[in-house]
Amino acid sequence: MNLTLRIWRQAGPDAPGALTTYQVTGISPEMSFLEMLDTLNEELIPRGEEPVAFDHDCREGICGACGMVINGQAHGPERTTTCQLHMRHFQDGDVIDVEPWRSAAFPVVRDLVVDRSAFDRIIGAGGYITAPTGSAPEAHATPVPKEAADLAFEHAECIGCGACVAACPNGSAMLFTSAKVVHLNVLPQGAPERRSRARALVGAMDAEGFGGCTNTGECATACPKGIGLNAIATLNREFLLGGR
Amino acid sequence: MTSEVPTDYSDFTVGAPIADDRAPDGPIAERWDRRRFEAKLVNPANRRGRTVIVVGTGLAGGSAGATLAEAGYHVVQFCFQDSPRRAHSIAAQGGINAAKNYRNDGDSVRRLFYDTVKGGDFRARESNVHRLAEVSVQIIDQCVAQGVPFAREYGGLLDTRSFGGVQVSRTFYARGQTGQQLLLGAYQALSRQVAAGNVELHPRTEMLDLLVIDGRARGIVARDLVTGAVSAHLADAVVLATGGYGNVFHLSTNAKNSNATAIWRAHRRGAYFANPCFTQIHPTCIPRSGEHQAKLTLMSESLRNDGRIWVPRTAGDTRSPELIPEDERDYYLERIYPAFGNLVPRDIASRAAKNVCDEGRGVGPGGQGVYLDFADAIARLGRAAVEARYGNLFEMYQRITAEDPYRVPMRIYPAIHYTMGGLWVDYDLQTSVPGLFAIGEANFSDHGANRLGASALMQGLADGYFVLPATLADYLAQAPVAPVAADHPEVTTVIAEVTDRLKRLLAVDGDRSPESFHRELGQLLWDECGMARDEAGLRRALARIPELRAEFWRRLAVPGTGEELNQTLEKANRLVDYFELAELMCLDALHRTESCGGHFRTESQTPSGEAARKDEEFGYVAAWEYTDGGAPVLHREELTFTEVHPTQRSYA
C-alpha cells in the first residue's frame, strides 16, 4: 500500500506544532500502525531528517505506552491500542492524519509524545490498598466472591493509555479514575478505604486539570480494554456516599 | 575502564574460582531463616538517612522500591518509561507459581524446589532455589492483600492451573494478564510511597553508567530522556532491576525499549556477568509475518494446557489444517513425551518444534510454524469455557493474524523470550561490586539453564518484596556512611565519559539507522547463537560482530541533538553495548561444549537428540570478568547438588 501521512510535528512543549505531510510506500497489510511509522522513520533517518517521536514499548497492547489520534479517533478506527492496529484496516492511497493526545493535563513533549504523569499522581492519591509490603495474612483467609473478583479484574485491566481523556470533549479522566475505584472498591480488601478512596481520587483528578464528565460516552467507545460507562456511575455513587 | 576500545573476545583467560560466601550451610530448609536472623538490621531512626537507588520499576524494582521505602529508607527510583506502570513485567501473561498446595495434589516447597532445579538442568544454585520456593507462598498472600484480582473459584477461593514442566497445579493467574495485575499491585504500592515522599521517582530517565567509588557502588549516571541532561545520582547502595537482555536478538518477545545497557555498564565497572549464553526460547510465539516485523508476540504457555500441538505427518503437506485427517497428523509432543505431552518444559517444546520444521513439516508461510489446536478442547469443554480461560489471548491472536483461532488452529513458533544469564550475584543478591545488587531477570541466580513457566514473576517479586529488603539492610548496616561529594573526581570523569560517548554517536553522521544494525546483529545471533549452536557458527559470529561494529562507527546516522528527546540516540547508545554483549554470549556458548537447558550445542546430544550435559566438566556457573581491551576472564563457581541429584532430564 502507498499512503499519505499528515503527522503532527512539534519540537518541544513550547514550540509551535504543525501537520507535516509524508508519503510512505510498500506498506504491507500485515504491519501494525507503529511498524508503518517505523518504516517512515527508517527512511527519514538515513537522510538525516528527524524521525517522528512516538511512545511505544510492549507492542502487544498491554503496556499502555502507545497512543495517537488517527483520523480524529483515539487509537484509530479499531477498538484497540495503536500497536495492535494493523494496516489491513486501511486502503491503498488513504490520507491518514496522526496527532498526539490533546488535553491540558497531557502536555505535548515532542511530536506524538505526551506527558501522562498526571495519571500516576491520581493513583498516588489513593489508588491502592494500604497494605504493608513484606507481610500479609494467608491468602485464603479472605474469600472473594467470584463475581467480585471478575468485576475487579475487568476494571483492573485499564492500561492507563489515556485514550479516554483524548476522546473526551471535556478532557475528563473519569473513566480511568473510575476503573481504579471499581477495581479496588468491590474487593473485600479494598472495603475499609472505599469511601475515602473515591474522594481522594476525584480530588486529585480535578487538581490535575482534567475536565468534568458530562456523560458523553466517547471515553468508553475509545477504551481499548472495553471498560464501560457503568464504572463512572459507580464512581459517582461511591463519591456521593463518601461524604466528607 | 574508560575506553571504548573493544575487548578481544576471540579468547579468554581463566581466573581464580569464586564462591558464594553468603549462602549459609546446614539443612537447606533452614538456610534462609538463618541468613535473615544473622543479617544486621538498621535502626528505624537511621533508615531515613540511608539512600538507595533502584533502577527499574518492573516486578522486581517496583516491589523493592515500595518495600524499602515503606521500611523507611530513602529511595531514588528510575525508569525509562513515562510511568513505572509500563515496565515490561506488565506483559507477562500466564501466571505465577507458588507452593501453596491448595489443590492437595502433592505440591510442597520441596517439590517446587525440585522441579525448578531439575527444570533448570542442574545449573542453578540449590540454596537460592529453595529460598525462592519458600518465599513463593508469601508472595500470593502479599498480592491478595494488595487487591490483585486473581482468578477465583465460585466458593471464593483462589483458582490455579498447571504449566509446562510440572505435574501439579500451582500456578495462580489473572486471566491471561497475570503480569499486568501483579505489576499494578507493585506500582500502586510504589505510587503510594511516591506520594508520601519516601520515593523520589525519575521517569523517562535512563541509567547510562555506574559510579564505583572506593570500591563500592555509590551511584549512577543517568540521562533525562526529555531534556537530554546527563547527571549523577549518589546513594549508599544501588539496585539494578533492569530486566533481561533478550533484545540483543532484535526480534524477541521483550518490549522494544528493554535493553542491556545498565547491566553491561555495571559489568564494565567490575560486576561479573554470569552464563550470558543461557537464553530461553519460548515455544508459543506468533510466527513472524515479514521483514518489517519489529517484535514478536508471545502467546501464553498456559495455552498448552488445552491446546494440542501438531504438524502434518508428511513433509510438504500444504493442505489447510481442517483437510488433514487425524491419522495424517503428528501430535509430536504427545508421541515423544507421553508423560508430559504438550506440557513439556520450554526448551524441550521449542527444540521439538524446530526439529519438525527443519524436517520440512512446518506450517504457514515460510514453513516456520506448528499448529496449536483447540478443536478438541472446544468439543470437550464448549466454546464458552475455552473463551473464559483464554479469551483475551484468542482475541490478541486474531487481531494480529486476522485468523479466528476458534475455527482454525493457531500457528506458533519459538522465539527469544527470557535470559537466564545476567549479573553474577551471591546469596544476598549482591554483585561482585560491593553495594551493587541485581534482582529479578537482571541477575543470573535462580533458573539455571532453563526457566520454568510462571517462575519469572515469582522470582521478581520474591527478590523485591522479601529477599533484597533483608539482605540490603545487612549491607547498609555495615557499609560506611561517608557521603560522596557531588564533584568527586570519579563523578566528573564518568559524566564526561557518558557525554563524550553520546557526542561521538551524534558525530558519525553516516547513512545507516541504528535499527538496521540491530536487525543485522540480531539475525546473526539467532542464526549462530540461537536455538542450536555449534563451534563453527559461533566462530563465524565472533569474526563477524567486530566487523559490524566497525561499520556501525563508520556509517551510523543519528539525526538531531543530545539536548532533546532523541529516540534514535537512545537506540544507538544501547546498540554499542549489544555489540559487546553479543560477543560475550558467543564466547560463553563456545566455551561451554556441553548442552544444557536452553543452551543446545549440536555437538553434545543424547542418541535420542536431547541435550547432553557434561556435569563433570561444566557443573559450574561461568562468571566473566571484564578487562579493558584484553580477553575476558572466566571465574568458575562450582555448583554442588546435595538435595536433588543430577540426572538426565526425562519427560517421556
Side-chain angles (χ1 to χ4, degrees), chain B residues 275-516:
Chain B
N275 299 335
C277 80
F278 287 178
T279 52
Q280 179 161 78
I281 319 282
H282 196 290
T284 56
C285 183
I286 300 177
R288 69 188 279 208
S289 64
E291 290 298 318
H292 60 270
Q293 193 131 354
K295 90 169 277 270
L296 296 169
T297 299
L298 187 74
M299 301 298 292
S300 166
E301 185 181 29
S302 64
L303 292 167
R304 290 200 277 147
N305 269 308
D306 288 304
R308 298 180 68 196
I309 294 173
W310 64 277
V311 289
R313 268 191 197 287
T314 29
D317 185 345
T318 53
R319 287 176 292 175
S320 67
E322 70 275 11
L323 297 176
I324 301 178
E326 275 300 313
D327 61 355
E328 290 177 46
R329 299 176 177 192
D330 180 11
Y331 295 89
Y332 58 90
L333 289 178
E334 298 170 30
R335 172 171 59 80
I336 309 172
Y337 308 100
F340 282 74
N342 295 299
L343 287 175
V344 289
R346 293 175 173 181
D347 56 330
I348 308 276
S350 297
R351 219 155 30 242
K354 178 182 192 293
N355 290 342
V356 295
C357 292
D358 287 351
E359 289 163 21
R361 299 196 286 146
V363 300
Q368 298 287 295
V370 300
Y371 288 126
L372 176 61
D373 195 341
F374 283 84
D376 283 2
I378 292 170
R380 186 176 75 248
L381 304 164
R383 180 180 160 133
V386 171
E387 205 170 328
R389 275 182 209 175
Y390 312 110
N392 66 313
L393 298 171
F394 278 45
E395 201 182 297
M396 185 172 79
Y397 181 86
Q398 181 159 15
R399 188 164 287 138
I400 292 172
T401 63
E403 289 174 4
D404 178 4
Y406 292 102
R407 293 162 35 130
V408 289
M410 292 182 180
R411 287 174 295 111
I412 54 167
Y413 195 67
I416 295 287
H417 177 56
Y418 188 91
T419 46
M420 282 76 67
L423 292 184
W424 183 88
V425 290
D426 62 18
Y427 188 71
D428 282 358
L429 307 179
Q430 185 165 222
T431 68
S432 51
V433 176
L436 179 69
F437 293 76
I439 60 177
E441 193 181 350
N443 76 29
F444 86 102
S445 66
D446 293 2
H447 307 297
N450 177 48
R451 179 176 62 80
L452 289 179
S455 291
L457 309 187
M458 176 171 65
Q459 190 212 343
L461 292 181
D463 289 359
Y465 281 135
F466 301 104
V467 179
L468 180 83
T471 61
L472 182 63
D474 180 73
Y475 174 79
L476 291 173
Q478 301 181 66
V481 289
V484 173
D487 61 350
H488 188 284
E490 179 69 5
V491 174
T492 320
T493 307
V494 177
I495 288 180
E497 282 173 28
V498 167
T499 311
D500 176 59
R501 169 162 141 168
L502 297 170
K503 279 192 187 138
R504 284 194 292 128
L505 289 167
L506 286 158
V508 179
D509 200 23
D511 61 350
R512 274 190 72 175
S513 68
E515 180 75 9
S516 74

Side-chain angles (χ1 to χ4, degrees), chain A residues 56-75:
Chain A
H56 66 95
D57 204 13
C58 79
R59 298 211 180 189
E60 46 190 274
I62 192 76
C63 76
C66 65
M68 46 196 83
V69 174
I70 300 165
N71 287 338
Q73 288 178 286
H75 291 302

Side-chain angles (χ1 to χ4, degrees), chain B residues 519-595:
Chain B
R519 276 181 198 277
E520 196 172 340
L521 176 68
Q523 187 65 49
L524 179 70
L525 265 192
W526 175 250
D527 291 342
E528 311 290 19
C529 194
M531 260 196 286
R533 302 104 188 248
D534 65 18
E535 181 176 341
L538 291 165
R539 289 196 184 280
R540 273 196 301 276
L542 282 168
R544 176 64 188 140
I545 296 168
E547 295 171 4
L548 196 58
R549 175 166 46 193
E551 188 181 341
F552 174 85
W553 283 106
R554 222 173 39 243
R555 292 187 58 190
L556 176 71
V558 181
T561 73
E563 288 79 45
E564 60 184 343
L565 180 77
N566 188 334
Q567 295 169 327
T568 320
L569 179 62
E570 292 167 26
K571 172 118 204 190
N573 192 47
R574 293 165 187 163
L575 259 172
V576 177
D577 298 323
Y578 283 151
F579 280 121
E580 296 185 5
L581 170 60
E583 285 181 277
L584 188 64
M585 289 167 70
C586 291
L587 175 65
D588 188 43
L590 183 64
H591 106 281
R592 192 174 280 275
T593 57
E594 65 162 352
S595 295

